[in-house]
């Protein structure tokens, strides 16, 4: 990762222990394994990333060894291994056999399957029987799956299933045209068809699933939009040096890896020249997308976009003026293919400032108006996962707020159905075409360190007191604060009736009012799982059974549904760790917040959906003694503040 090419050498000299691996380090890590273990071309690398130093090592100030974490497997016998390689000494530090586990699916396998399937005579024949003969216009989308949905005869093999789509024109939208009822089961290690499932065939309805203007019949684009330009003649107000970012009293380090994509490290807020820690590390550690349609067409469709494919691997390059507007700084990301060869995603992360309307305002009868405009710092990246896109934004505000927003867009999965029927598990979006209901559960891993590591999570909710002598009008509202002391107590569900939220409190730090400093997680955008406890989805993704989980920090506890999610049967992450019922009181807590989209599909989301937006907030509660944004200056416009006013 680097701000521009050609700076790698210089950056290497001053590399911070949390900076992602550079291209040369990917190569060296892969080479070390290849040479030491005698890898041939049947060995593949599913994952290579920086092995981040544990917090205690980072805090000690000792020299931190530079290490890479690798997941690889042998395509001949299907065995998976996890390794740590020292990049300082080019040697293997650890080598661990992981029998029965399947590493994440790689982009290379996706392409190899697509290549092999379009040349397979049985597939060609099955498609021809449905009138699809131009194989160049066909797309095979490989999906991973797991649990009891995998047939016994395929257990232990590295397999996937595919949707089949086709384009009306060579450059038109494949997701406009599903090939219904035809599913392929593939052996990924051999890139070979195992089985064709031919469930049904529906006569294709007359639909319009194109979104690119050149393919939309009769589309006339609006012509009444005037230019809107954002200029910052003196440049942006943030300072980016290497991966370190500073803006309006905020400071942080920007990281990136194949699985989580963007990672924010060591987030702090400056007060009186001293950086007060807020979060040690924040990222998305899983995304679970079950389709709630039991039909043969969709019953396998539960995506784990982080664990199966990797948000980093799915990250796409951003374009100035389209994805990000204004005075932009981009960071490139470096990842690797399945042979271990590095490649660069140009402009993977966008960093910019945005005007955010009014921050605070009051109009005084005598003194006139005082208005301050809000500015926010935005770090974003976009991931395209086959038909869908996730746009992820972390926003930092001048008043100490942090907002994490996700926008889902792209193209919904659709199916056709026969004349005279109606789809029970989806919405009609076009002639005899429906988009199945589904849910997007995102797990944010929030290693908050509010004024230091020793924090307690407090469940905070509001209760109306009963009418009585002291409360004759029933007005009294009281706040109940319940410290969560164990991992069992840390399993929390949202309660709309009490407006429940969770505060991360530091009882060892006091504000000027004498109370503990804290940040509150405002639980917007959360949704219940709505699964029978016996459901295979819940068995694989126990995490979605609660809105929030709290664990004590452990460097190996990163993946809430387990490290190896591909083809998993049970969740070996949070449900297993929290069985220890460890203490989470006055300790280094990690919050796992589950939020997302309950996607009841709409006609307006076809053929391409405008963004569906969800977010959650982290807000200071007694972290400051008063509004920390009193010192934000008014804008140059003289109408924005009273005459004679101004910054104190
Ligand atoms: Co959706």
């Amino acid at each position: 990762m680097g701000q521009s090419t050609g700076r790698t050498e210089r950056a290497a000299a001053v590399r911070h222990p949390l900076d992602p691996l550079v291209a040369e380090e990917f190569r060296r890590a892969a080479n070390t394994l290849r040479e030491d273990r005698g890898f041939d071309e049947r060995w593949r690398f599913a994952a290579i990333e920086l092995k981040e130093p544990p917090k205690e090592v980072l805090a000690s100030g000792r020299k931190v060894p530079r290490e890479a974490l690798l997941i690889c497997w042998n395509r001949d016998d299907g065995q998976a291994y996890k390794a740590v390689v020292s990049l300082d000494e080019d040697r293997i530090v650890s080598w661990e056999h992981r029998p029965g586990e399947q590493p994440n699916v790689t982009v290379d396998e996706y392409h190899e399957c697509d290549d092999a399937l379009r040349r397979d005579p049985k597939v060609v024949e099955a498609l021809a029987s449905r009138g699809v003969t131009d194989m160049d216009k066909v797309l095979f989308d490989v999906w991973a799956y797991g649990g009891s949905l995998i047939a016994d005869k395929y257990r232990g093999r590295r397999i996937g299933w595919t949707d089949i789509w086709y384009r009306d024109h060579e450059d038109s939208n494949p997701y406009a045209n599903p090939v219904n009822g035809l599913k392929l089961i593939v052996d990924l290690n051999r890139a070979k068809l195992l089985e064709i499932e031919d469930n049904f065939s529906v006569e294709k309805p007359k639909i319009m699933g194109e979104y690119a203007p050149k393919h939309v019949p009769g589309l006339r684009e609006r012509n009444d939009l005037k230019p809107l330009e954002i200029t910052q003649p003196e440049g942006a107000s943030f300072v980016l040096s290497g991966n370190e970012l500073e803006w309006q009293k905020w400071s942080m380090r920007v990281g990136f890896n194949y699985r989580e994509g963007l990672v924010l490290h060591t987030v702090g807020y400056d007060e009186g020249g001293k950086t007060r820690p807020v979060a040690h590390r924040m990222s998305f550690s899983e995304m679970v997308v079950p389709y709630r349609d039991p039909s043969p067409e969709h019953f396998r469709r539960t995506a784990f976009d982080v664990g199966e494919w990797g948000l980093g691997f799915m990250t796409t390059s951003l374009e100035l003026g389209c994805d990000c507007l204004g005075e932009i700084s981009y960071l490139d990301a470096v990842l690797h293919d399945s042979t271990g060869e590095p490649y660069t995603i140009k402009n993977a992360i966008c960093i910019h400032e945005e005007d955010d309307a009014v921050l605070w305002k009051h109009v005084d009868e005598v003194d006139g108006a005082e208005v301050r405009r809000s500015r926010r710092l935005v770090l974003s990246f976009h991931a395209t996962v086959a038909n869908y896109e996730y746009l992820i934004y972390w926003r930092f505000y001048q008043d100490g707020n942090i907002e994490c927003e996700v926008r889902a867009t792209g193209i919904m999965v659709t199916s056709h159905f026969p004349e005279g029927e109606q789809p029970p598990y989806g919405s009609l979006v076009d002639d005899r075409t429906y988009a199945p209901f589904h849910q997007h559960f995102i797990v944010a891993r929030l290693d908050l360190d509010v004024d230091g590591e020793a924090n307690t999570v407090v469940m905070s909710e509001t209760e109306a007191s009963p009418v009585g002598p002291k409360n004759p009008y029933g007005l009294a509202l009281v706040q109940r604060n319940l410290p969560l002391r164990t991992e069992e107590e840390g399993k929390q569900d949202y309660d709309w009736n009490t407006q429940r939220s969770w505060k991360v409190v530091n009882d060892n730090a006091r504000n000027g009012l004498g109370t503990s400093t804290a940040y509150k997680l405002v639980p917007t955008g959360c949704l219940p799982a709505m699964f029978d406890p016996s459901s295979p989805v819940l068995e694989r993704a126990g995490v979605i059974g609660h809105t929030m989980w709290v664990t004590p920090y452990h460097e190996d506890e990163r993946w809430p549904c387990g490290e190896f999610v591909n083809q998993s049967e049970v969740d070996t992450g949070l449900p297993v760790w929290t069985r220890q019922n460890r203490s989470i009181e006055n300790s280094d807590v990690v919050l796992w917040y589950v939020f997302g989209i309950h996607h009841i599909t709409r006609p307006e989301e076809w053929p391409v959906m405008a963004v569906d937006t969800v977010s959650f907030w982290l807000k200071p509660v007694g972290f400051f003694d008063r509004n920390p944004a009193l010192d934000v200056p008014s804008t140059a416009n003289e109408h924005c503040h009273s005459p004679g006013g101004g910054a104190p």
Side-chain angles (χ1 to χ4, degrees):
M1 180 188 262
Q3 261 177 281
S4 58
T5 50
R7 285 190 50 182
T8 313
E9 288 312 309
R10 211 145 44 93
V14 292
R15 195 169 300 145
H16 186 275
L18 292 172
D19 284 351
L21 300 182
V22 296
E24 176 243 345
E25 291 177 312
F26 279 99
R27 262 189 215 108
R28 277 179 34 213
N31 269 338
T32 300
L33 277 197
R34 224 179 262 128
E35 282 165 23
D36 193 278
R37 296 282 142 180
F39 282 10
D40 61 19
E41 83 289 344
R42 294 294 290 163
W43 282 85
R44 292 297 173 102
F45 297 91
I48 307 175
E49 61 170 332
L50 171 75
K51 183 177 188 300
E52 290 175 24
K55 279 170 99 163
E56 57 273 19
V57 174
L58 203 58
S60 70
R62 295 199 304 269
K63 184 188 175 314
V64 176
R66 189 84 177 154
E67 293 177 332
L69 193 60
L70 302 92
I71 307 283
C72 55
W73 84 103
N74 182 333
R75 298 184 95 180
D76 282 335
D77 62 13
Q79 297 302 303
Y81 299 82
K82 182 177 171 180
V84 175
V85 166
S86 161
L87 294 165
D88 300 324
E89 300 165 16
D90 290 327
R91 66 177 181 86
I92 297 177
V93 175
S94 70
W95 173 257
E96 190 190 340
H97 184 204
R98 299 297 298 252
E101 309 274 25
Q102 288 294 344
N104 51 285
V105 194
T106 64
V107 176
D108 289 335
E109 290 172 288
Y110 179 94
H111 291 303
E112 286 164 6
C113 275
D114 181 86
D115 279 353
L117 293 172
R118 71 182 61 253
R119 284 184 278 110
D120 189 296
K122 287 192 190 130
V123 176
V124 173
E125 191 191 315
L127 282 166
S129 73
R130 286 160 194 254
V132 178
T133 51
D134 185 350
M135 294 304 287
D136 289 341
K137 291 185 181 150
V138 175
L139 171 72
F140 299 92
D141 243 348
V142 177
W143 285 65
Y145 64 124
S148 51
L149 307 187
I150 297 176
D152 282 342
K153 60 186 169 183
Y154 300 136
R155 291 285 165 95
R157 292 168 89 153
R158 186 168 171 82
I159 58 169
W161 67 275
T162 77
D163 277 323
I164 308 176
W165 310 91
Y166 71 92
R167 302 173 196 268
D168 280 330
H169 306 278
E170 56 190 31
D171 60 350
S172 63
N173 175 23
Y175 299 109
N177 303 300
V179 177
N180 285 275
L182 200 59
K183 302 293 172 200
L184 311 178
I185 309 293
V186 288
D187 180 327
L188 294 174
N189 276 335
R190 287 164 193 78
K192 221 171 155 263
L193 176 72
L194 290 171
E195 190 177 335
I196 296 181
E197 285 182 4
D198 202 339
N199 295 303
F200 66 97
S201 177
V202 185
E203 194 201 335
K204 198 199 163 196
K206 220 176 148 32
I207 59 169
M208 204 300 287
E210 302 295 344
Y211 60 92
K214 61 182 170 185
H215 293 303
V216 180
L219 180 77
R220 284 226 304 275
E221 291 193 332
R222 303 174 193 199
N223 61 5
D224 53 352
L225 270 183
K226 303 281 194 292
L228 187 150
E229 281 170 14
I230 293 171
T231 56
Q232 292 186 273
E234 295 173 34
S237 321
F238 59 84
V239 178
L240 180 66
S241 38
N243 286 26
E244 191 179 18
L245 181 60
E246 286 184 1
W247 176 84
Q248 290 287 292
K249 304 191 178 182
W250 285 105
S251 59
M252 66 201 74
R253 300 199 65 89
V254 186
F256 192 92
N257 65 52
Y258 75 97
R259 189 152 167 166
E260 296 158 291
L262 176 66
V263 179
L264 299 178
H265 299 283
T266 57
V267 176
Y269 193 95
D270 180 278
E271 204 178 24
K274 189 172 154 279
T275 300
R276 296 176 63 189
V278 174
H280 179 70
R281 193 182 191 281
M282 300 195 290
S283 68
F284 286 178
S285 56
E286 195 50 89
M287 228 185 235
V288 186
V289 188
Y291 281 69
R292 306 304 299 264
D293 179 343
S295 69
E297 197 64 16
H298 302 292
F299 77 101
R300 292 192 187 94
R301 200 181 301 282
T302 295
F304 289 70
D305 292 318
V306 173
E308 287 174 344
W309 293 97
L311 279 189
F313 282 141
M314 301 295 115
T315 295
T316 46
S317 293
L318 300 170
E319 277 189 47
L320 187 60
C322 309
D323 297 303
C324 320
L325 198 56
E327 191 69 28
I328 308 293
S329 284
Y330 289 108
L331 285 171
D332 298 340
V334 182
L335 292 174
H336 64 92
D337 66 17
S338 71
T339 70
E341 188 58 25
Y343 63 89
T344 299
I345 305 170
K346 290 293 291 177
N347 299 352
I349 299 168
C350 167
I351 302 169
H352 75 297
E353 278 179 297
E354 282 176 357
D355 175 83
D356 180 45
V358 170
L359 174 64
W360 58 260
K361 172 174 181 169
H362 181 61
V363 182
D364 183 89
E365 202 185 338
V366 176
D367 200 31
E370 288 283 350
V371 191
R372 297 297 180 272
R373 285 200 75 79
S374 171
R375 195 82 73 84
R376 62 190 184 193
L377 175 73
V378 187
L379 292 93
S380 61
F381 73 111
H382 295 182
T384 298
V385 190
N387 52 305
Y388 236 78
E389 353 277 313
Y390 294 101
L391 324 180
I392 295 148
Y393 302 85
W394 289 91
R395 302 197 182 110
F396 295 84
Y397 291 82
Q398 290 157 307
D399 60 356
N401 283 345
I402 302 172
E403 179 192 20
C404 174
E405 181 183 281
V406 178
R407 296 178 169 215
T409 178
I411 300 159
M412 295 185 298
V413 165
T414 54
S415 303
H416 302 147
F417 58 89
E419 200 71 60
E421 291 184 12
Q422 281 299 319
Y425 309 108
S427 302
L428 186 71
V429 297
D430 205 327
D431 185 28
R432 285 197 290 109
T433 300
Y434 78 100
F437 305 140
H438 57 275
Q439 297 161 299
H440 305 255
F441 296 95
I442 302 161
V443 187
R445 182 182 181 279
L446 306 169
D447 179 355
L448 299 191
D449 283 3
V450 177
D451 273 328
E453 288 180 4
N455 292 165
T456 302
V457 180
V458 174
M459 187 266 272
S460 186
E461 54 188 14
T462 309
E463 201 174 59
S465 305
V467 171
K470 283 186 175 168
N471 184 30
Y473 312 112
L475 287 168
L477 272 191
V478 290
Q479 199 65 6
R480 286 198 299 143
N481 290 298
L482 183 72
L484 308 175
R485 300 179 194 283
T486 63
E487 287 180 298
E488 201 51 48
E489 291 177 11
K491 294 175 190 175
Q492 291 280 310
D493 300 312
Y494 181 60
D495 187 345
W496 188 82
N497 289 307
T498 64
Q499 291 294 295
R500 182 178 290 182
S501 68
W502 298 281
K503 286 189 289 191
V504 181
V505 176
N506 191 329
D507 282 323
N508 318 292
R510 300 281 150 173
N511 55 36
L513 305 168
T515 55
S516 302
T517 64
Y519 255 77
K520 177 162 85 169
L521 193 159
V522 183
T524 46
C526 50
L527 63 157
M530 300 185 191
F531 272 106
D532 186 282
S534 68
S535 150
V537 171
L538 211 50
E539 275 176 42
R540 296 181 68 201
V543 62
I544 66 173
H546 294 290
T547 315
M548 198 182 60
W549 305 60
V550 185
T551 57
Y553 166 82
H554 189 288
E555 65 162 312
D556 292 334
E557 295 178 2
R558 299 174 65 195
W559 313 117
C561 298
E563 182 164 21
F564 294 86
V565 169
N566 186 17
Q567 294 183 225
S568 69
E569 292 187 26
V570 292
D571 187 336
T572 59
L574 275 170
V576 173
W577 308 329
T578 56
R579 243 175 253 156
Q580 302 166 76
N581 204 20
R582 294 166 292 188
S583 167
I584 52 171
E585 197 180 7
N586 198 24
S587 56
D588 187 3
V589 291
V590 176
L591 282 66
W592 309 78
Y593 178 59
V594 182
F595 72 113
I597 301 171
H598 187 67
H599 196 166
I600 303 303
T601 49
R602 298 180 294 142
E604 289 83 352
E605 292 166 341
W606 176 252
V608 65
M609 62 182 273
V611 292
D612 205 346
T613 305
V614 286
S615 69
F616 68 89
W617 290 78
L618 295 165
K619 295 191 173 187
V621 179
F623 188 79
F624 303 106
D625 295 346
R626 64 191 67 238
N627 183 346
L630 284 184
D631 60 353
V632 172
S634 62
T635 34
N637 190 328
E638 61 180 25
H639 299 297
C640 295
H641 60 99
S642 54

